[in-house]
């Protein structure tokens, strides 16, 4: 089964009501005004990165494609809108036949982005594009925030694998999306079976403290787990006394014991003691896995510890302090009339308070320095400079309403690793700083 082709979970048959009401009232008014069919261009971007972040990570694109495909106003949804008088009958008739028929371009999933990057561009009639604002932003803002945190954690972890363990710390459906985004950002596995089923992410899991507490003796719990799962299992050794647990674990499983997990205490100190004890007991190949409210800073602090893998939960699924990317979805160009041949006119918000936008359909390219590292994110309208023609970032995702860019999640994950590697070395520093490369604008104001 190609998991990339799976639809949304069965309990969410339509994404049409993942919509703010004002999108439907705008549609109603535009239909009455005769402007609903004007060709329009919306762009997703963020004005700034979260405080201290050096780069962003595009994640959730595949889920956006699923959401667009499942954006249908069925009888139940239409009945709800009618019952609550949210729109009139003319608008309901229009919604009943809704199928997105436009084009969507965007940064490929896994790519990095910076302030102003046109992460996604949605083109079609105003009516069909405006309805997608909330669902597109909710997916991209959530998944990109998780992926950015995951990327920082995986960078801090180096070659040591990371396990996503956050399902118990967030909404049950958000947990599945978070596991997917974490995988994009560099995590190796997840404990969430729904994420494994839906997206093919490798799953892992052995036991919790409850399993040890169930038994009369810790030895009995370890023996039961080894009997069931084999000597290569991971035994949780911090329920009572860590040193005694490690000794018992090796007595039962022998030097073939797969791993021990430490979930509390001074992880740096305990890891060193456990490694020494395992080696003295002849279990030199037994790995050490640490958990317990880790974030990228804690992971970095354990770089010199004899740790083989990390399990991360709460800090990951909450974006390590930044649960959203503050992306917005803005109209940047629209036609002068409903005539399909009418030229596009750049439009932009000019209000004060830092919420201005830049008009015109944009392209984006990443300029490299002489060593092949990224040195600037270049964004513009009009013709692309010849020197940047082969460095353009946007790819076609949807053409004429048909999805054209679904891809396996492993491809997305590999793309992110390559994109991060193409940034200056300072990108992976955890200290606070500005975006690792600047955003430059060209040709703006010269057309759409």
């Amino acid at each position: 089964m190609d998991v990339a082709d799976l639809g949304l979970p069965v309990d969410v048959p339509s994404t049409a009501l993942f919509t703010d009401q004002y999108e439907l009232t705008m549609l109603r008014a535009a239909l009455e005004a005769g402007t609903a069919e004007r060709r329009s261009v919306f762009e997703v971007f963020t004005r700034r990165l979260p405080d201290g972040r050096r780069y962003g990570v595009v994640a959730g694109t595949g889920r956006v494609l699923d959401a667009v495909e499942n954006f249908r106003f069925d009888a139940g949804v239409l009945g709800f809108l009618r019952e609550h008088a949210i729109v009139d009958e003319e608008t309901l008739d229009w919604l009943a036949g809704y199928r997105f028929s436009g084009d969507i371009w965007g940064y490929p999933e896994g790519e990095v982005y910076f302030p102003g990057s046109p992460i996604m561009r949605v083109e079609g009639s105003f009516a069909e594009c405006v309805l997608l604002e909330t669902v597109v932003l909710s997916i991209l803002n959530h998944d990109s925030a998780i992926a950015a945190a995951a990327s920082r954690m995986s960078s801090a972890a180096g070659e040591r694998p990371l396990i996503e363990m956050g399902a118990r710390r967030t909404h049950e459906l958000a947990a599945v999306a978070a596991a997917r985004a974490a995988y994009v950002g560099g995590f190796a596995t997840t404990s969430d079976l729904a994420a494994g089923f839906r997206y093919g992410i490798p799953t892992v899991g052995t036991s919790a403290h409850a399993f040890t507490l169930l038994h009369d003796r810790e030895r009995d719990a370890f023996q039961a787990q080894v009997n069931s799962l084999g000597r290569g299992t991971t035994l949780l050794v911090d329920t009572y006394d860590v040193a005694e647990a490690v000794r018992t674990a090796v007595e039962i499983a022998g030097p073939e014991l797969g791993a021990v997990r430490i979930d509390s205490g001074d992880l740096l100190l305990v890891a060193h003691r456990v490694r020494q004890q395992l080696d003295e007991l002849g279990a030199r190949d037994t790995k050490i896995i640490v958990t317990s409210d880790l974030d990228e800073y804690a992971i970095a602090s354990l770089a010199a510890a004899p740790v083989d893998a990390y399990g991360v939960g709460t800090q990951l699924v909450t974006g390590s302090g930044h649960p959203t990317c503050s992306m917005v979805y803005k109209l940047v160009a629209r036609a002068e009339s409903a005539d399909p041949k009418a030229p596009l006119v750049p439009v932009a918000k000019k209000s004060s308070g830092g919420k201005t936008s830049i008009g015109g359909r944009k392209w984006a390219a990443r300029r490299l320095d002489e060593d092949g590292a990224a040195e600037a994110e270049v964004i513009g309208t009009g013709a692309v400079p010849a020197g940047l023609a082969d460095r353009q970032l946007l790819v076609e995702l949807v053409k004429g309403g048909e999805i054209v860019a679904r891809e396996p999640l492993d491809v997305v994950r590999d793309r992110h690793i390559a994109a991060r590697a193409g940034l200056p070395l300072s990108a992976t520093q955890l200290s606070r700083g500005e975006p690792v490369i600047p955003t430059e604008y060209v040709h703006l104001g010269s057309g759409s």
Side-chain angles (χ1 to χ4, degrees), residues 106-437:
Y107 279 38
E109 190 166 14
E111 183 58 85
V112 296
Y113 71 87
F114 298 92
S117 297
I119 297 162
M120 185 168 288
R121 189 174 74 214
V122 182
E123 304 186 32
S125 70
F126 176 84
E128 63 182 338
C129 295
V130 74
L131 295 183
L132 299 178
E133 176 185 1
T134 297
V135 70
V136 167
L137 287 179
S138 65
I139 292 172
L140 292 180
N141 268 313
H142 173 269
D143 289 23
S144 296
I146 305 304
S151 179
R152 284 163 61 86
M153 293 174 188
S154 66
S155 178
E159 297 300 317
R160 297 171 179 176
L162 290 157
I163 307 164
E164 187 280 313
M165 303 173 63
R168 291 164 293 164
R169 299 293 187 264
T170 188
H171 183 278
E172 65 272 17
L173 293 181
V176 182
R180 182 186 184 281
Y183 193 69
V184 170
F187 273 56
T189 54
T190 180
S191 66
D192 190 84
L193 290 177
F197 170 75
R198 180 164 167 72
Y199 297 116
I201 301 170
T203 60
V204 295
T206 50
S207 67
H209 293 103
F211 186 76
T212 300
L213 296 170
L214 169 68
H215 294 80
D216 296 335
R217 300 184 303 167
E218 189 172 51
R219 175 179 292 274
D220 297 335
F222 287 178
Q223 188 67 65
Q225 185 174 327
V226 170
N227 289 347
S228 176
L229 302 178
R231 296 176 185 271
T233 190
T234 298
L235 295 176
L236 181 59
V237 296
D238 72 329
T239 305
Y240 305 118
D241 179 83
V242 173
E244 180 61 28
V246 171
R247 186 178 303 109
T248 302
V250 177
E251 285 178 6
I252 291 172
E256 296 86 5
L257 175 62
V260 296
R261 178 162 74 94
I262 306 166
D263 188 51
S264 59
D266 183 336
L267 296 179
L268 178 62
L269 176 62
V270 175
H272 277 287
R273 289 177 174 174
V274 169
R275 181 73 271 161
Q276 180 179 356
Q277 186 180 10
L278 287 170
D279 290 348
E280 291 173 349
L281 293 170
R284 295 182 177 277
D285 294 329
T286 298
K287 298 183 183 302
I288 297 175
I289 300 171
V290 295
T291 53
S292 184
D293 290 329
L294 299 177
D295 61 11
E296 59 265 49
Y297 300 100
I299 291 169
S301 74
L302 292 167
V307 171
D308 297 285
Y310 306 93
V312 189
T314 302
Q315 293 301 319
L316 175 72
V317 299
T318 56
S320 195
H322 298 291
T324 181
C325 301
S326 299
M327 294 178 186
V328 294
Y329 182 97
K330 296 298 181 183
L331 181 67
V332 297
R334 51 86 175 167
E336 295 177 328
S337 71
D339 184 343
K341 297 181 180 179
L344 288 173
V345 177
V347 294
K349 181 179 179 181
K350 299 297 184 183
S351 64
S352 61
K355 286 193 173 184
T356 59
S357 58
I358 299 173
R361 181 205 278 124
K362 297 171 197 69
W363 50 262
R366 190 161 298 143
R367 191 173 70 240
L368 307 182
D369 64 19
E370 59 185 12
D371 296 319
E375 68 174 9
E377 192 87 338
V378 185
I379 299 168
T381 57
V384 180
L388 296 174
D390 63 348
R391 300 298 308 167
Q392 293 189 71
L393 292 164
L394 277 78
V395 298
E396 194 166 32
L397 303 172
V398 177
K399 183 176 182 179
E402 297 295 324
I403 295 170
V404 297
R406 278 201 172 100
E407 54 189 355
L409 202 55
D410 282 334
V411 172
V412 174
R413 187 173 185 269
D414 290 344
R415 177 182 294 123
H416 174 63
I417 293 171
R420 188 177 66 193
L423 296 175
L425 289 176
S426 57
T428 58
Q429 293 178 346
L430 296 182
S431 57
R432 293 185 179 276
E434 296 300 314
V436 70
I437 61 173

